[in-house]
Structures are given as C-alpha cells and as structure tokens.
C-alpha cells in the first residue's frame, strides 16, 4: 500500500517526467520550425488567417537588392577588381603569399558574391574573368604556403570562372598550374596529361607567350615524370613560340611573365631534373638576368642551381646555393620552397 509520503514522491516524479517530456517536445518543435520554415500553428495543423509574409518579403527584398547591386557593377568596377588582383600579384612575388591570405580570401569572396548575383551574360562575363585571374593567383599562393586542398579548390573555382567568362587562355593557365599540385602530390604522370589537356583547351586562342609558357611547364613536369625526351622536345617548342625581345609580361594574360631570361632559368631547372650537364650553364645565364624583385623566383633559381651541382657531384657549390636559397625562401615564407630546399640538403 502506498503511503502519503510515497504518493507525494510519485506525484513529484510524474510532474518532473511530464515537464521533461514537454521540454523535449518543445526542442523538437523548434528544430522542425527551423527546418520547415513554419509556425507553431502550422506545425500543429491549425488554420490561421492570412498574415503578412514579412520573412518572405524580406528574403525577396534582400535577393533583389543583391541582384540590383550586381547589375550595377560596371566595367570600371571590374577593372578595379583586376587592379586589386595585380597589386596582390606584385606583393606576392616580392614578399610572398603568407601575408596575403586574409586579403585574398576577402577579394575572392567579393568577386564570388558579385558573380553569384549577376544575372545577364554581359554582366557575368567580365566579373567571371576577374574571378578566374584572382582564383588562380590565390591557388598558387595556397600551394606555395603548403595548403594543398585549398589550392586545388581555388584552381577549380578559377576553371569554372574561366568557362563562365568564355576565356580559353584563363582556363588553360588554371589547368596548367593545377598540374603542379598533382606533381607535388606524387602524381607527375597525371600532371603531364593535365597540362597537355590545358594546351588543347587553350587551342588557337592562346597568345604566343602563353603557348611558350605552357610548353616550358610541360617540360618541367615531364622531367619530374621521368620523360627526358619529352622534356627536351617541350623545351624546343617553348623556345620556338617565345616572342623576341626583352619584354616578359603578356598583355593578354597578366599573370604570365616569360622572356629568354626566364626561359633560360626554366630550361636549366628542367635539365637539372633529368641530370643534363647543360643545366648549370643555363641556370647561371638566368642568374645574370633575373629580376631582383622576383624574390620567390630567385629562391627557386638558387635551388635549381643546387640541384644541378648535386647532379655533378659539386657539393660545395650546392651547399652555397642552398644557403642563399634558404635565405630567400625565408623572406617569402614559402613552405613549398623550404620543403624542396630541405630535400636537397639531405642529399649533401
């Protein structure tokens, strides 16, 4: 038989259980309201009178506002976006990518927002072109900083933007640089296929300087894939397509810098990778002409020279070049170059 005390305890227990059940039910109701976008009355099946759709109206108002803002993006504004990318490019080659991550992230977000809410092709294409250039730069910076997955995603963004903009040159460039991610990941054979696909994607739309750049990149990647004959043939094609003169900048593709001095460095790098004795001569020729503002490129050149000296058994010269390469790589904070320098140092 239940006593008064035990009955009271039972009432307390039942009351607490009921309260707990209501609390759980309320939590589930809150979750359902958030997922389904309904009110309590609608969730319980109650018929209610017409109410002002303030939430929906605000949602549409915000969408229309963003569409109107994107439509107002003029050619002048697109040029401003591209000028900002150019500024980041200059800072990157002189100071390295590490200090630009936050700025590049904000820059890409602004361009993606503008493209997402741009409606008509005449508005979308210029924004997409600006986004393609910025995304490819951000991808190379991420690769340099050792953020491999972020680099891959940025290259994908750059490729999609280039297709949206109908810009084969931007697409070819993004694909070719993405091949370096595959190389660093230990898949040089796939990287060779990708860079050759990049050349086909560019087709007849490519400028002579970009064509030469793509062949030089193919030569380097073929060297890493253990294809010495393909490497040499690609270097010959790069030389044939490179325009005459000292100008390095491609006016049709501002991210491309290539003249005979740059190509001599690239040639030396590729030949060093396949153990060709000619590499040292090409690299020292490049060292005499390298632009001092290209800090990261200078670090790479010193590492190339160290590799070429190592292949010839010239360890003192290799040690000296690695020391200078390490100093330059530390200035730019390049994780990718420091990793390569350490790998070469272990061979001394």
């Amino acid at each position: 038989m239940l006593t008064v005390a035990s009955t009271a305890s039972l009432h307390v227990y039942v009351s607490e259980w009921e309260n707990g059940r209501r609390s759980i039910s309320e939590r589930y109701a809150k979750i359902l309201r958030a997922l389904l976008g309904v009110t309590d009355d609608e969730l319980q099946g109650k018929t209610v009178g017409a109410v002002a759709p303030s939430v929906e109206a605000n949602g549409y108002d915000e969408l229309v506002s963003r569409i109107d803002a994107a439509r107002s993006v003029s050619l002048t504004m697109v040029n401003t976006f591209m000028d900002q990318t150019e500024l980041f490019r200059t800072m990157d080659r002189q100071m390295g990518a590490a200090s630009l991550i936050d700025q590049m992230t904000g820059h890409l977000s602004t361009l993606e927002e503008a493209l997402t809410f741009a409606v008509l092709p005449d508005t979308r294409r210029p924004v997409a072109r600006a986004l393609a250039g910025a995304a490819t730069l951000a991808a190379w910076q991420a690769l340099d900083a050792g953020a491999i997955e972020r680099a891959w995603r940025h290259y994908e963004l750059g490729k999609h933007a280039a297709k949206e903009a109908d810009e084969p040159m931007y697409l070819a460039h993004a694909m070719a640089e993405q091949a370096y991610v595959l190389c660093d990941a230990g898949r040089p054979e796939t990287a060779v296929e990708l860079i050759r696909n990049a050349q086909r994607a560019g087709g007849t739309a490519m400028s002579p300087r970009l064509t030469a750049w793509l062949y030089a990149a193919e030569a380097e990647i073929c060297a890493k894939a253990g294809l010495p004959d393909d490497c040499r043939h690609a270097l010959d094609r790069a030389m044939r397509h490179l325009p005459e003169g000292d100008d390095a900048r491609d006016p049709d593709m501002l991210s491309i810098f290539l003249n005979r001095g740059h190509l001599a460095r690239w040639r030396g790098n590729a030949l060093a990778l396949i153990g060709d004795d000619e590499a040292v001569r090409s690299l020292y020729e490049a060292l005499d002409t390298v632009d001092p503002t290209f800090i990261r490129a200078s670090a790479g050149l010193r590492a190339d020279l160290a590799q070429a000296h190592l292949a010839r058994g010239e360890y003192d010269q290799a040690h000296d070049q690695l020391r200078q390469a390490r100093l330059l790589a530390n200035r730019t904070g390049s994780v990718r170059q420091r990793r390569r320098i350490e790998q070469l140092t272990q061979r001394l």
Side-chain angles (χ1 to χ4, degrees), residues 248-271:
R249 197 75 182 271
D250 191 333
D252 299 315
M253 193 75 190
L254 296 180
S255 54
I256 297 299
F257 293 84
L258 190 66
N259 58 19
R260 289 191 176 272
H262 292 114
L263 187 55
R265 178 248 159 171
W266 220 335
R267 178 182 180 83
N269 172 35
L271 293 177

Side-chain angles (χ1 to χ4, degrees), residues 213-293:
W213 186 93
L214 287 168
Y215 279 128
E218 180 189 355
E220 181 182 354
I221 292 173
C222 283
K224 292 179 178 179
L227 302 170
D229 291 339
D230 288 23
C231 168
R232 292 186 178 93
H233 291 153
L235 286 172
D236 290 342
R237 287 191 289 267
M239 184 61 73
R240 286 199 302 270
H241 284 87
L242 182 65
E244 295 292 337
D246 294 332
D247 290 342
R249 197 75 182 271
D250 191 333
D252 299 315
M253 193 75 190
L254 296 180
S255 54
I256 297 299
F257 293 84
L258 190 66
N259 58 19
R260 289 191 176 272
H262 292 114
L263 187 55
R265 178 248 159 171
W266 220 335
R267 178 182 180 83
N269 172 35
L271 293 177
L273 289 169
I274 61 175
D276 193 307
D277 282 342
E278 189 187 341
V280 172
R281 181 179 61 81
S282 291
L283 289 170
Y284 276 109
E285 287 178 2
L287 191 61
D288 291 336
T289 60
V290 67
D291 187 332
T293 66

Side-chain angles (χ1 to χ4, degrees), residues 4-325:
V4 173
S6 60
T7 302
S9 298
L10 179 60
H11 281 302
V12 170
Y13 175 82
V14 170
S15 176
E16 289 176 349
W17 180 80
E18 288 288 349
N19 289 337
R21 186 178 64 177
R22 280 195 297 271
S23 177
I24 293 172
S25 298
E26 287 170 1
R27 286 199 296 271
Y28 277 121
K30 183 177 180 180
I31 293 170
L32 285 172
R33 287 197 303 272
L35 289 174
L36 301 177
V38 298
T39 64
D40 286 340
D41 288 337
E42 290 169 334
L43 188 61
Q44 296 168 12
K46 295 180 181 178
T47 303
V48 296
V51 295
S54 58
V55 174
E56 283 296 319
N58 287 339
Y60 281 116
D61 286 346
E62 183 178 354
L63 174 62
V64 170
S65 175
R66 292 187 175 187
I67 290 173
D68 288 344
R71 186 173 58 188
S72 67
V73 174
S74 63
L75 185 59
T76 302
M77 182 61 73
V78 171
N79 289 338
T80 300
F81 288 146
M82 297 188 78
D83 287 344
Q84 190 171 2
T85 300
E86 176 63 14
L87 174 62
F88 289 142
R89 185 177 291 117
T90 302
M91 295 172 65
D92 170 59
R93 69 172 181 260
Q94 295 185 17
M95 298 167 25
S99 61
L100 298 175
I101 293 174
D102 291 341
Q103 294 98 312
M104 282 303 303
T105 299
H107 186 45
L108 285 184
S109 297
T110 301
L111 284 165
E112 284 189 87
E113 183 84 356
L115 183 60
T116 297
F117 294 100
V119 178
L120 300 178
D122 287 347
T123 304
R124 292 182 65 84
R125 287 195 192 102
V127 177
R129 182 173 61 251
L131 177 58
T136 304
L137 173 61
W140 188 257
Q141 291 174 339
L143 181 61
D144 189 55
I148 307 303
E149 182 177 346
R150 187 167 76 242
W152 186 268
R153 291 183 181 277
H154 285 338
Y155 279 127
E156 287 298 308
L157 175 61
K159 285 157 56 178
H160 288 307
K163 292 174 184 177
E164 174 84 31
D166 193 20
E167 290 282 358
M169 289 179 62
Y170 282 80
L171 175 60
H173 181 234
M175 291 172 68
E177 284 198 355
Q178 193 175 32
Y180 280 92
V181 183
L182 291 170
C183 264
D184 287 2
R187 295 292 183 272
E189 298 83 4
T190 308
V192 171
E193 294 182 34
L194 180 57
I195 200 163
R196 289 173 177 170
N197 274 295
Q199 293 163 356
R200 288 190 286 271
T204 58
M206 292 193 300
S207 67
R209 201 175 305 274
L210 176 59
T211 301
W213 186 93
L214 287 168
Y215 279 128
E218 180 189 355
E220 181 182 354
I221 292 173
C222 283
K224 292 179 178 179
L227 302 170
D229 291 339
D230 288 23
C231 168
R232 292 186 178 93
H233 291 153
L235 286 172
D236 290 342
R237 287 191 289 267
M239 184 61 73
R240 286 199 302 270
H241 284 87
L242 182 65
E244 295 292 337
D246 294 332
D247 290 342
R249 197 75 182 271
D250 191 333
D252 299 315
M253 193 75 190
L254 296 180
S255 54
I256 297 299
F257 293 84
L258 190 66
N259 58 19
R260 289 191 176 272
H262 292 114
L263 187 55
R265 178 248 159 171
W266 220 335
R267 178 182 180 83
N269 172 35
L271 293 177
L273 289 169
I274 61 175
D276 193 307
D277 282 342
E278 189 187 341
V280 172
R281 181 179 61 81
S282 291
L283 289 170
Y284 276 109
E285 287 178 2
L287 191 61
D288 291 336
T289 60
V290 67
D291 187 332
T293 66
F294 283 62
I295 305 299
R296 186 165 55 204
S298 297
L301 177 54
R302 295 288 182 178
D304 294 339
L305 274 166
Q307 181 158 345
H309 283 303
L310 279 170
R312 293 157 58 118
E314 298 166 348
Y315 298 109
D316 289 342
Q317 294 95 322
H319 183 274
D320 182 58
Q321 294 298 334
L322 282 174
R323 180 183 59 80
Q324 296 183 66

